Amino acid sequence: MPFKKIGIYSDGADIADMRKVAVHDYVKGFTTNPSLMKSAGVTDYLSFARDVVKEFPKHSISFEVFGNSFETMKQEARVIASLGENVAVKIPILTPDEKSTAELIHELSEEGIAINVTAITTSQQVQEAVDALTEGKKNIISVFAGRIADTGVDPSAFVRASRKICDTKDGAQLLWASTREVLNIFQAQDLGCDIITVPPSILSKLGNIGKSAKQVSIDTVKNFEADIKTLGFSILDD
């Protein structure tokens, strides 16, 4: 696998999917969030989190707080951090009412809690998050490159600038979040990201790496043929 300079984290909340991808040595960790848990049908947050930590003790795992008040988020963060030494607590860079969480991030980081600052989309937010982190502690800065690309903007300049900001704080790791295609892994690696989160649906496509363009064409028409046979489509009457 041509990804020697970047760690791949599987992004999702289906424990069966986690088991499938964990067999690959290039998968170094897992990330999830309340929305992914909802999609996966998780009904008990802590029970799910404990099961994941127990099953994957050697992988980095990020779980997100979901409170809106700083006090609630602080309490949730402490509970999540207590689940295991391999756990990082995801804290959004701002609350739904647009209040900065930098002070909370700083307080938790000073306590020795590993933080994954999430939902970052601007260089100002990257700077704010990096400034809040404790020097020398391993923490993650998650820039939502894919969501920026969804607006029609190339996120490359933003990611490159984020790399420079992270380099000013020992221990700050840059993560490319919201991956949309296999190409993003190559882009993230070339731009200097330490980590990229990749959903299982895209991880399943890594076997296509190295295929020739002609082989992609052949595989495509064969898939069309198989689907047509399965569906029993007919245009011309017998």
Side-chain angles (χ1 to χ4, degrees), residues 27-79:
V27 175
K28 307 299 183 183
F30 299 98
T31 56
T32 188
N33 61 49
S35 295
L36 291 171
M37 290 183 182
K38 177 183 176 182
S39 297
V42 175
T43 56
D44 188 324
Y45 192 119
L46 278 179
S47 177
F48 168 78
R50 290 191 183 102
D51 287 346
V52 170
V53 172
K54 182 179 179 181
E55 187 150 354
F56 308 105
K58 296 182 180 180
H59 290 76
S60 172
I61 309 171
S62 292
F63 295 110
E64 188 166 340
V65 298
F66 54 84
N68 288 329
S69 75
F70 292 147
E71 186 58 36
T72 298
M73 294 167 77
K74 186 190 304 182
Q75 293 177 25
E76 291 173 346
R78 289 169 178 161
V79 171

Side-chain angles (χ1 to χ4, degrees), residues 141-196:
I141 301 295
S142 290
V143 295
F144 275 51
R147 296 202 180 206
I148 292 172
D150 286 344
T151 70
V153 175
D154 183 347
S156 298
F158 167 58
V159 176
R160 197 175 291 112
S162 299
R163 174 72 272 167
K164 291 181 179 179
I165 297 171
C166 286
D167 286 342
T168 65
K169 179 66 65 79
D170 181 30
Q173 299 176 294
L174 181 61
L175 182 151
W176 174 301
S178 59
T179 297
R180 301 300 191 234
E181 55 193 0
V182 171
L183 177 61
N184 293 158
I185 306 176
F186 290 91
Q187 292 172 320
Q189 181 170 253
D190 290 344
L191 290 166
C193 293
D194 301 293
I195 305 164
I196 184 168

